[in-house]
Amino acid sequence: MNFELKALNTSVLINEKTDALVVFLTSAFKPGKDVLSTLITKVMKAGDLASKAGEALDIYRPAGLTCSRLVLVHVGDGAAKDVRKAVATAVSTAKAAKPRHMTLCFLHNPPPQVMRVAVTSFAEASYVYTTTKTKAEGRSIQSAAFMVPDELSLRSEFERAVATVKGVELAKEWGNRPANHATPTHIAQAARALAKLPHIKCEVLGPKEVAKLGMGAFQAVAQGSEEPLRFIVLHYHGAAKSLAPVVLVGKGITFDSGGISIKPAAEMDEMKFDMCGAASVLGVFRALAELQPDMNVVGLIPACENLLSGRSVKPGDVVTSMSGQTIEILNTDAEGRLVLCDALTYAERFKPRAVVDIATLTGACVVALGGVRSGFFSNDEALSATLLAAGDSSQDLCWQMPLDDDYAEGLKTSFADVANVAGRAGGAITAAKFLQRFVGKSPWAHLDIAGTAWKSGAAKGATGRPVGLLVDCLMQLGQQAKSQ
Ligand code: BES
Ligand code: MN
Ligand code: ZN
């Protein structure tokens, strides 16, 4: 989809040739003397549009305007979350008429974050998955123009939003693909395709190289499947090689059956989404290619399937991780932490400024936080503050969870240095405590996106989260590096 940012003035607005013209109204609306203002005043007086965020009124061929239809939508006081709701309503109101082009205008310049949220939520509301359908209709909307009175002051925010959308949509595409269309090999091809973009490089390691590195935990998960594992290394070079990179690590389980500790059949199909952490890393690199910030970023993706066969790892097996620590695999369904721990050890070679891993790691995190906020854990206060702020500015929210050492008690075992599971209590936290053992000296954060990476039920599908959060976080870290 194409996005455009245009300067708003009344005559442009009245003469805008578009399938649907969306006008955002705030409680502070002051009418002018033009036809549109007169119409809005009438609507308000008649009580045809409640002044509540998300309320909309659809008007067909409004007199005096060149648009095919006008959608007036209230945004309350204009807060980011209200604009998000308003955009979703506007798109679903206009959708029935299959618009190809839409124009959305703010009568007053919105705050920068709100501009960004308007663009990202527009993309979200109009997204359609088509890859594995033969008669898919796809997205009717081909282009969207956003109008604001002072477009210059919002241009850079707008560009960040458009770049974020590209990243989010790449993450959704890979998240949504069925596991037989998104094998570790396919994910590696997607990463290689990114390396065609400016300043991006990609290396892919296979079973032999991974064995040589001694990634025994990662190998143990992959060994039950016929699909060969892939360890993907992406580099974005936007600054001098001497500048320490931020390393992103994405869990890339392309299908999680649970292994020998097999999952129940109901909803097992959703475990094709168990590579959404990896997909978010691909998405972030797509956005970096657009934004070209002057920083360095490394993306690591351990990708494999977690299946059952005569070669599968068994409960009670002890494996040696790349760090040298031995792990007793008490539950083969706690596989995410096993692939991540070796990737975290690998991350150390880059002497990173910060390491952030992203994983659909625990059902316990879904119980704790639901689908609104991703859980995050961190050993560093500054990084925590940056993540929390990035969540707010991108409206891709997260919430900090604890890392007290007492939570690690349950991981003790007589048969190895550590077990891969503790009891049921605090499951998201014990998983994070397991990962923390494999983190070097760098500031580290772990994002558990099990509740936020996809939606179940009628609206089943990948959300593209937390690409928005990560893009804002990286841009913030890039800024901080410069001011140091
Ligand atoms: N991929 C799952 C986590 C998950 C479960 C995400 C449900 C979204 C919805 C992960 O590999 C897993 O199976 N975790 C186990 C860990 C347990 C065995 C300690 C879980 O959460 O049940
Ligand atoms: Mn699992
Ligand atoms: Zn999993």
Side-chain angles (χ1 to χ4, degrees):
M1 186 165 40
N2 271 318
F3 288 103
E4 199 189 347
L5 182 65
K6 297 209 281 196
L8 170 104
N9 65 55
T10 333
S11 76
V12 171
L13 198 59
I14 289 167
N15 297 311
E16 175 80 354
K17 286 203 174 61
T18 183
D19 300 326
L21 176 67
V22 177
V23 177
F24 297 118
L25 297 173
T26 64
S27 355
F29 172 70
K30 284 196 193 67
K33 290 202 168 68
D34 54 283
V35 276
L36 181 61
S37 288
T38 313
L39 178 59
I40 295 172
T41 310
K42 269 194 207 157
V43 165
M44 299 275 208
K45 271 212 183 119
D48 280 331
L49 181 66
S51 52
K52 208 177 114 205
E55 292 293 320
L57 181 69
D58 185 16
I59 305 166
Y60 184 65
R61 295 216 177 275
L65 297 168
T66 52
C67 58
S68 307
R69 62 205 311 147
L70 171 69
V71 182
L72 299 176
V73 49
H74 216 287
V75 291
D77 295 331
K81 68 175 193 318
D82 292 337
V83 168
R84 195 167 166 197
K85 209 195 255 169
V87 171
T89 318
V91 173
S92 70
T93 307
K95 237 181 200 169
K98 298 202 168 65
R100 291 177 61 80
H101 180 71
M102 281 180 74
T103 305
L104 301 96
C105 58
F106 286 96
L107 300 174
H108 304 284
N109 256 34
Q113 280 176 25
V114 171
M115 175 81 250
R116 197 128 44 90
V117 165
V119 176
T120 51
S121 43
F122 180 82
E124 186 184 328
S126 61
Y127 173 85
V128 183
Y129 170 81
T130 58
T131 312
T132 43
K133 288 186 135 188
T134 54
K135 294 193 186 70
E137 287 213 8
R139 199 180 217 162
S140 77
I141 303 167
Q142 304 294 311
S143 58
F146 285 81
M147 282 191 177
V148 293
D150 174 14
E151 56 102 15
L152 268 182
S153 68
L154 289 169
R155 179 129 313 260
S156 72
E157 290 297 327
F158 179 77
E159 273 157 13
R160 193 191 289 190
V162 174
T164 303
V165 166
K166 293 201 167 140
V168 165
E169 295 199 347
L170 184 70
K172 281 188 178 181
E173 172 63 24
W174 282 101
N176 283 332
R177 283 196 193 190
N180 62 330
H181 293 260
T183 63
T185 307
H186 291 137
I187 305 287
Q189 281 162 358
R192 280 215 181 89
L194 283 171
K196 295 213 164 67
L197 300 170
H199 295 134
I200 296 183
K201 279 200 281 199
C202 173
E203 267 171 275
V204 177
L205 313 187
K208 274 195 197 125
E209 291 98 333
V210 163
K212 210 165 161 204
L213 284 165
M215 293 182 162
F218 179 24
Q219 284 178 287
V221 177
Q223 77 191 34
S225 167
E226 299 283 329
E227 282 295 336
L229 64 76
R230 293 288 181 261
F231 189 78
I232 303 162
V233 186
L234 277 159
H235 293 271
Y236 167 77
H237 277 300
K241 284 236 159 94
S242 56
L243 195 73
V246 176
V247 180
L248 302 177
V249 182
K251 171 177 172 183
I253 299 296
T254 59
F255 188 76
D256 181 12
S257 71
I260 299 295
S261 316
I262 194 168
K263 287 184 181 293
E267 277 125 49
M268 205 206 271
D269 65 291
E270 295 193 5
M271 284 301 130
K272 73 169 183 179
F273 294 115
D274 212 19
M275 35 58 73
C276 282
S280 76
V281 173
L282 296 178
V284 167
F285 274 75
R286 181 69 192 83
L288 289 172
E290 293 296 310
L291 293 167
Q292 296 287 314
D294 46 359
M295 64 188 302
N296 296 325
V297 184
V298 173
L300 302 178
I301 298 175
C304 70
E305 293 185 328
N306 185 22
L307 287 187
L308 312 81
S309 77
R311 278 207 302 269
S312 291
V313 72
K314 305 169 292 299
D317 284 1
V318 172
V319 298
T320 305
S321 65
M322 186 181 173
S323 72
Q325 297 177 70
T326 56
I327 304 167
E328 184 185 24
I329 301 179
L330 287 173
N331 190 319
T332 64
D333 198 11
E335 84 298 338
R337 60 198 80 181
L338 296 172
V339 306
L340 289 171
C341 71
D342 282 339
L344 287 170
T345 303
Y346 189 88
E348 274 186 65
R349 68 179 56 200
F350 301 103
K351 301 199 170 46
R353 266 191 66 206
V355 179
V356 179
D357 74 71
I358 309 106
T360 48
L361 203 63
T362 65
C365 193
V366 189
V367 175
L369 296 173
V372 181
R373 288 178 187 255
S374 305
F376 87 84
F377 301 81
S378 179
N379 61 3
D380 186 85
E381 265 183 47
L383 182 58
S384 302
T386 305
L387 272 168
L388 211 53
D392 282 335
S393 62
S394 60
Q395 283 294 294
D396 186 349
L397 302 167
C398 60
W399 193 255
Q400 188 161 16
M401 311 262 275
L403 277 174
D404 303 283
D405 282 337
D406 288 346
Y407 283 109
E409 282 300 305
L411 294 171
K412 288 188 174 152
T413 164
S414 315
F415 301 103
D417 299 339
V418 66
N420 78 328
V421 290
R424 273 170 58 82
I429 313 172
T430 54
K433 288 307 286 180
F434 177 90
L435 293 177
Q436 195 180 15
R437 297 175 61 101
F438 299 86
V439 175
K441 287 190 199 83
S442 12
W444 159 75
H446 155 59
L447 278 161
D448 194 331
I449 58 166
T452 53
W454 78 88
K455 291 183 180 154
S456 307
K460 194 196 284 183
T463 59
R465 290 176 70 182
V467 171
L469 164 70
L470 292 168
V471 169
D472 275 22
C473 176
L474 285 178
M475 299 306 275
Q476 203 56 50
L477 290 171
Q479 269 331 99
Q480 286 168 15
K482 267 189 276 180
S483 57
Q484 263 163 22

